[in-house]
Amino acid sequence: MDEAVVIENIHRKNIPPYKEAEFLQRMVERHGSQEKVAERIGKSQMYVSNRLALLNLPPELQEAVDTKQLKVKTAEKIARPRSRRPRGAGRQPRLRYRFKTRF
């Protein structure tokens, strides 16, 4: 498929997310880095990285994303390797208030 057509479809959101991830992977192989691909398609490097994370999903979740049964953002979080999750992800929040007691 013509690269320009796919890029246009990415901006129009006319391409299923998993198919978009496959295309972006081919572009990374062709152009050498996520940064170059991001610049070429007019999106951020984080956008490209998040879409590429979808390639780590099992087939049933890939299909759920493409059929909109699973939100893309949720799928990206599931697919992201643990080492790349934001700090504090999955931890209990710390209490921000300290209570003073007087007797």
Side-chain angles (χ1 to χ4, degrees):
M1 189 180 290
D2 183 44
E3 191 172 290
V5 171
V6 176
I7 291 170
E8 185 176 329
N9 284 334
I10 288 171
H11 285 278
R12 279 200 230 150
K13 301 187 189 300
N14 284 353
I15 186 169
Y18 185 75
K19 297 293 182 200
E20 180 182 345
E22 290 177 328
F23 174 74
L24 292 173
Q25 180 61 43
R26 286 194 301 273
M27 284 188 71
V28 168
E29 291 167 3
R30 182 178 304 134
H31 298 290
S33 72
Q34 291 181 13
E35 292 83 10
K36 288 179 183 176
V37 171
E39 185 177 317
R40 188 160 182 88
I41 66 170
K43 298 281 188 177
S44 70
Q45 184 274 328
M46 182 60 78
Y47 178 90
V48 174
S49 178
N50 286 340
R51 280 300 195 260
L52 290 175
L54 297 177
L55 298 174
N56 297 326
L57 291 172
E60 56 275 2
L61 290 181
Q62 293 169 1
E63 186 176 331
V65 171
D66 282 350
T67 59
K68 298 182 180 179
Q69 294 173 337
L70 180 65
K71 292 182 179 183
V72 175
K73 291 291 180 191
T74 303
E76 288 170 349
K77 288 177 184 176
I78 293 169
R80 190 178 304 146
R82 282 201 176 277
S83 63
R84 297 206 45 220
R85 289 186 182 164
R87 289 185 185 175
R91 293 186 196 165
Q92 293 293 326
R94 291 184 179 181
L95 293 177
R96 293 183 175 199
Y97 305 101
R98 293 183 183 213
F99 298 99
K100 294 183 181 182
T101 56
R102 291 180 131 173
F103 294 103

